[in-house]
C-alpha cells in the first residue's frame, strides 16, 4: 500500500499525519514550539524551531506507522500563510526571526499605502487589501531593519518564502525554491488574474524580484527530500496554504460551497469557481486552488483570534487546564448575563480590518466569573463567523438565495458546545467532517493526486464523510438580542479607537 505524508505546519505547532492510499489515517504526531512577542502587536517564530519541529513530527509519524521512506508515495505540505522567512541563499541561515501573519508592526506602512491611493491597485491585482496581515510589508521591514539586507537582496544573495517555501528549500537541501499559487496569492505581490508576480507591486512594496520563488500548481512536482532526512528520498508533490488545503480537504470543489476552519484564527472560504469576485464588503478575493494550470477562486473572511482565545483562557487567565475544559466551563455560565469578548488581541480582521484596536470585554457585572468569560470567549468566534457569513451573502447572491450548510474543521471544531452555538447564531446547518484535520487531509490529497495515488476531485468529493450535523435550536428573539449586543460592543470598540 502506498502512503502519503502530510506536513501541517501551523502557527503554534507542527503536525505530521501519515495517510494510507485510501486517505484513512495511519499515524499522527504533533509538537508545539515557542511563540515570541517582542513588542505589542508583534509576533515572531524562530525559523529553526519551525524546521526542527516539522522534521521531528515527520519522523515520529513514520515511526508510529512503522513506515519507511520507500513506502511513501509523496509528501504534501500545508502551512500557516503570510508568515515570512528571509534566508541566505548559500547557508540557509535566516537573517531574522520569521514574522508571523498575526504581526501588526507594519500598520503605519499600510496606512500610508491607503492614504496615497495605492489600495485600489493592490485590490485589483491581488484581491487583497493593504494590511499588515499579508507578506510583502513584512519582507520589506526585514530588508530595512537587518543591516545590509536590502543590498544583499539586490545582489541575489537572499531568498524569501512563506513557510511552505522555506520548508521545501530545507527538505530538498536548497535544490528547489518554489511555492504554490495559493501561498503566492497571499503576499500582496502576485497577480491572481495573470498567475504571475507583478512588477508594479514589487516596485510599490519595495521587494526585489531576486528574492522570489517559482510559482507552481498545488499538485505538482516539487522535487524530493534529501535521502539522509528520512533514510531515503521522498517525492514532494503537493503544497497549499492551510486554509486552501482545508478547502480541498473539505471537498469544496463546487461554486457556492463554504468551509470554515477553526484553529488559532478562523478562516471561512466560499468557492466562487472560475470567477474572481471583487468583494464590496471587505472580504478577500483569493485563489482557492490551482490544478492543471486552472485557477479556482474564493471569497475569504479572516478572523485573527479563534482558538487562541481559548489559549488565552488557559495560559493567560489560568481559568482552564486544557482547551477541552472550556466547553464544561462555558456550559455553566449564567445565560442571563450579556458578556461580550471582542478578542482583538492583534487587531480585527474581516470585515473590519482595523489593526489598531485591541481586545475588550463588555457587559461585566459583579456576578461575572470564569464561566461567563469562557462563554464569551467561545461565543465570540460564533459572532465573528456570523459577520463573515453576512458579508459573503451580500457579495455572493447565490448564497443568500438558498439554504447553505457550513463545513467546519480545525481543533476548535471538536467543541460540541461551540459548534451548536455556531449553528444557533448563523441560523444555519453546521457539518463537521469525520476527520477534523482537513488541512492535513487536503495536503495529502493534493500530493496523492499528483502522484497518481488519489482519485480525481469529483470522486474524492463523493467520499466525504459526515461526523455530526448541528442544526439551529435557538429562538429568533434570543438570537436577535445576542446579535444586537455583539453589534453594539463592536461599535463601542471602534468608536473608542476613533476617539483615542
Amino acid at each position: 500500500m502506498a502512503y502519503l505524508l502530510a506536513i501541517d505546519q501551523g502557527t503554534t505547532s507542527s503536525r505530521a499525519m501519515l495517510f494510507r492510499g485510501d486517505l484513512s489515517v495511519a499515524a499522527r504526531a504533533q509538537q508545539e514550539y515557542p511563540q515570541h512577542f517582542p513588542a505589542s502587536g508583534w509576533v515572531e517564530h524562530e525559523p529553526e524551531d519551525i524546521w526542527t519541529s516539522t522534521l521531528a513530527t515527520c519522523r515520529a509519524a513514520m515511526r508510529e506507522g512503522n513506515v519507511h521512506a520507500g513506502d511513501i508515495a509523496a509528501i504534501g505540505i500545508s502551512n500557516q500563510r503570510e508568515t515570512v522567512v528571509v534566508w541566505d541563499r548559500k547557508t540557509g541561515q535566516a537573517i531574522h526571526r520569521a514574522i508571523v501573519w498575526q504581526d501588526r508592526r507594519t500598520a503605519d506602512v499600510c496606512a500610508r499605502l491607503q492614504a496615497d491611493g495605492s489600495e485600489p491597485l493592490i485590490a485589483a491585482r491581488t484581491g487583497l487589501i493593504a494590511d499588515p496581515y499579508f507578506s510583502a510589508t513584512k519582507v520589506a521591514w526585514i530588508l530595512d531593519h537587518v543591516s545590509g539586507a536590502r543590498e544583499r537582496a539586490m545582489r541575489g544573495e537572499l531568498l524569501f518564502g512563506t513557510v511552505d517555501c522555506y520548508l521545501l528549500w530545507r527538505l530538498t537541501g536548497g535544490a528547489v525554491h518554489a511555492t504554490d499559487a495559493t501561498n503566492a496569492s497571499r503576499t500582496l505581490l502576485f497577480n491572481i488574474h495573470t498567475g504571475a508576480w507583478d512588477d508594479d507591486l514589487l516596485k510599490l512594496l519595495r521587494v526585489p524580484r531576486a528574492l522570489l520563488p517559482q510559482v507552481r500548481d498545488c499538485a505538482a512536482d516539487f522535487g524530493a527530500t534529501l535521502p539522509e532526512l528520512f533514510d531515503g528520498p521522498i517525492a514532494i508533490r503537493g503544497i497549499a496554504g492551510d486554509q486552501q488545503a482545508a478547502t480541498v480537504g473539505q471537498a469544496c470543489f463546487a461554486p457556492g460551497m463554504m468551509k470554515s476552519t477553526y484553529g488559532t484564527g478562523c478562516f471561512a472560504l466560499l468557492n466562487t469557481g472560475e470567477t474572481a469576485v471583487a468583494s464590496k464588503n471587505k472580504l478577500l478575493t483569493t485563489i482557492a486552488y490551482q490544478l492543471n494550470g486552472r485557477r479556482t477562486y474564493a471569497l475569504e473572511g479572516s478572523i485573527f483570534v479563534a482558538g487562541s482565545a481559548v489559549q488565552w483562557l488557559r495560559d493567560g487567565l489560568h481559568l482552564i487546564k486544557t482547551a477541552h475544559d472550556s466547553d464544561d466551563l462555558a456550559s455553566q455560565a449564567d445565560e442571563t448575563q450579556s458578556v461580550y469578548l471582542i478578542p482583538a488581541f492583534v487587531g480585527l480582521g474581516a470585515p473590519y480590518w482595523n489593526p489598531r484596536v485591541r481586545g475588550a470585554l463588555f457587559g461585566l457585572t459583579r456576578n461575572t466569573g470564569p464561566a461567563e468569560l469562557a462563554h464569551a470567549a467561545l461565543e465570540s468566534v460564533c459572532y465573528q463567523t456570523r459577520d463573515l457569513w453576512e458579508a459573503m451573502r451580500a457579495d455572493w447572491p447565490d448564497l443568500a438565495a438558498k439554504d447553505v450548510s457550513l463545513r467546519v474543521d480545525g481543533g476548535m471544531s471538536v467543541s460540541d458546545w461551540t459548534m451548536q452555538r455556531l449553528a444557533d447564531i448563523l441560523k444555519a446547518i453546521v457539518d463537521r467532517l469525520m476527520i477534523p484535520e482537513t488541512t492535513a487531509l487536503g495536503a495529502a490529497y493534493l500530493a496523492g493526486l499528483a502522484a497518481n495515488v488519489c482519485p480525481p476531485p469529483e470522486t474524492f468529493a463523493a467520499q466525504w464523510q459526515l461526523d455530526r450535523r448541528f442544526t439551529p435550536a435557538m429562538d429568533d428573539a434570543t438570537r436577535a438580542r445576542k446579535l444586537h449586543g455583539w453589534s453594539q460592543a463592536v461599535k463601542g470598540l471602534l468608536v473608542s479607537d476613533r476617539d483615542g
Side-chain angles (χ1 to χ4, degrees):
M1 177 183 292
Y3 289 84
L4 298 165
L5 179 61
I7 294 171
D8 178 7
Q9 204 298 305
T11 310
T12 59
S13 67
S14 298
R15 178 189 290 119
M17 293 188 65
L18 194 64
F19 291 85
R20 301 178 184 90
D22 61 1
L23 294 175
S24 61
V25 178
R28 54 167 61 85
Q30 185 169 353
Q31 181 176 311
E32 293 190 0
Y33 61 93
Q35 316 295 297
H36 302 278
F37 308 97
S40 176
W42 292 28
V43 189
E44 297 179 348
H45 294 155
E46 287 288 355
E48 201 63 25
D49 290 339
I50 293 174
W51 167 244
T52 56
S53 59
T54 297
L55 199 58
T57 53
C58 287
R59 290 169 173 168
M62 291 172 67
R63 284 196 302 271
E64 181 186 328
N66 193 27
V67 167
H68 304 285
D71 303 319
I72 300 175
I75 290 175
I77 301 172
S78 71
N79 58 288
Q80 50 169 312
R81 303 172 305 172
E82 299 94 17
T83 297
V84 303
V85 186
V86 178
W87 67 94
D88 185 285
R89 180 187 292 271
K90 290 184 179 179
T91 68
Q93 183 69 37
I95 67 169
H96 190 276
R97 280 178 177 166
I99 301 182
V100 179
W101 58 272
Q102 297 168 312
D103 191 282
R104 314 305 287 172
R105 75 186 66 187
T106 61
D108 290 345
V109 175
C110 294
R112 287 196 295 272
L113 290 168
Q114 294 167 357
D116 69 15
S118 297
E119 194 162 53
L121 171 66
I122 291 172
R125 303 281 178 89
T126 70
L128 310 177
I129 64 173
D131 189 85
Y133 176 32
F134 305 106
S135 304
T137 57
K138 298 178 173 68
V139 178
W141 189 95
I142 292 174
L143 297 183
D144 290 337
H145 288 80
V146 175
S147 179
R150 185 164 290 280
E151 292 75 16
R152 295 183 65 200
M154 296 297 290
R155 293 195 299 266
E157 298 175 9
L158 302 178
L159 298 175
F160 145 71
T162 43
V163 170
D164 62 300
C165 180
Y166 173 70
L167 290 177
L168 178 65
W169 196 89
R170 295 292 296 263
L171 287 166
T172 62
V176 182
H177 183 220
T179 187
D180 82 297
T182 67
N183 278 293
S185 74
R186 311 296 295 188
T187 61
L188 288 180
L189 303 171
F190 190 73
N191 189 317
I192 62 172
H193 308 288
T194 64
W197 299 116
D198 190 286
D199 286 326
D200 292 334
L201 296 176
L202 291 171
K203 181 179 179 181
L204 175 68
L205 296 162
R206 302 168 55 248
V207 176
R209 179 176 278 275
L211 286 172
L212 301 178
Q214 295 179 350
V215 181
R216 302 178 183 176
D217 284 353
C218 299
D221 184 348
F222 290 97
T225 65
L226 291 172
E228 58 265 31
L229 295 178
F230 305 112
D231 293 326
I234 306 175
I236 304 170
R237 293 292 182 266
I239 293 181
D242 51 8
Q243 304 314 316
Q244 284 91 341
T247 301
V248 171
Q250 286 279 26
C252 290
F253 295 125
M257 296 187 73
M258 181 178 175
K259 74 89 198 176
S260 190
T261 298
Y262 297 92
T264 301
C266 164
F267 303 88
L269 269 75
L270 171 68
N271 186 322
T272 62
E274 296 183 0
T275 303
V277 175
S279 175
K280 297 179 181 178
N281 295 278
K282 295 186 177 181
L283 298 175
L284 306 175
T285 306
T286 195
I287 296 175
Y289 50 86
Q290 181 173 304
L291 300 174
N292 299 317
R294 297 181 62 181
R295 289 179 291 280
T296 295
Y297 296 95
L299 282 171
E300 176 176 336
S302 307
I303 298 169
F304 296 151
V305 174
S308 53
V310 178
Q311 290 179 320
W312 174 66
L313 295 176
R314 183 192 67 188
D315 303 333
L317 301 185
H318 305 290
L319 298 183
I320 55 177
K321 291 184 177 179
T322 71
H324 296 291
D325 296 337
S326 60
D327 272 31
D328 290 339
L329 189 58
S331 66
Q332 299 169 28
D334 177 6
E335 288 278 0
T336 65
Q337 294 192 43
S338 297
V339 180
Y340 293 92
L341 168 67
I342 303 179
F345 302 146
V346 289
L348 282 175
Y352 306 103
W353 293 111
N354 188 320
R356 299 177 304 275
V357 295
R358 293 295 178 262
L361 278 162
F362 291 85
L364 298 179
T365 72
R366 182 63 182 84
N367 292 325
T368 300
E372 286 72 34
L373 294 181
H375 185 281
L378 297 185
E379 212 169 42
S380 72
V381 177
C382 305
Y383 292 130
Q384 291 178 98
T385 306
R386 171 72 183 230
D387 290 341
L388 301 183
W389 179 268
E390 290 301 320
M392 286 182 174
R393 286 167 65 92
D395 278 338
W396 184 258
D398 288 351
L399 188 64
K402 58 184 179 182
D403 293 330
V404 177
S405 63
L406 177 66
R407 292 186 172 185
V408 297
D409 55 79
M412 204 174 185
S413 71
V414 302
S415 166
D416 289 348
W417 191 95
T418 307
M419 294 301 101
Q420 180 57 55
R421 185 53 53 97
L422 178 62
D424 291 339
I425 294 299
L426 293 181
K427 197 179 180 180
I429 291 171
V430 172
D431 286 338
R432 184 170 65 199
L433 182 64
M434 187 70 71
I435 299 176
E437 302 98 336
T438 49
T439 299
L441 176 63
Y445 172 74
L446 290 169
L449 185 64
N452 296 314
V453 172
C454 292
E458 57 272 18
T459 304
F460 175 66
Q463 298 169 350
W464 188 91
Q465 291 182 300
L466 177 70
D467 170 49
R468 179 171 173 180
R469 170 164 287 178
F470 300 87
T471 56
M474 183 179 287
D475 63 85
D476 290 341
T478 300
R479 182 184 304 104
R481 174 178 60 79
K482 284 179 167 292
L483 288 172
H484 177 72
W486 170 257
S487 176
Q488 292 301 108
V490 172
K491 287 179 181 177
L493 182 66
L494 297 176
V495 167
S496 68
D497 172 63
R498 288 195 297 269
D499 294 345

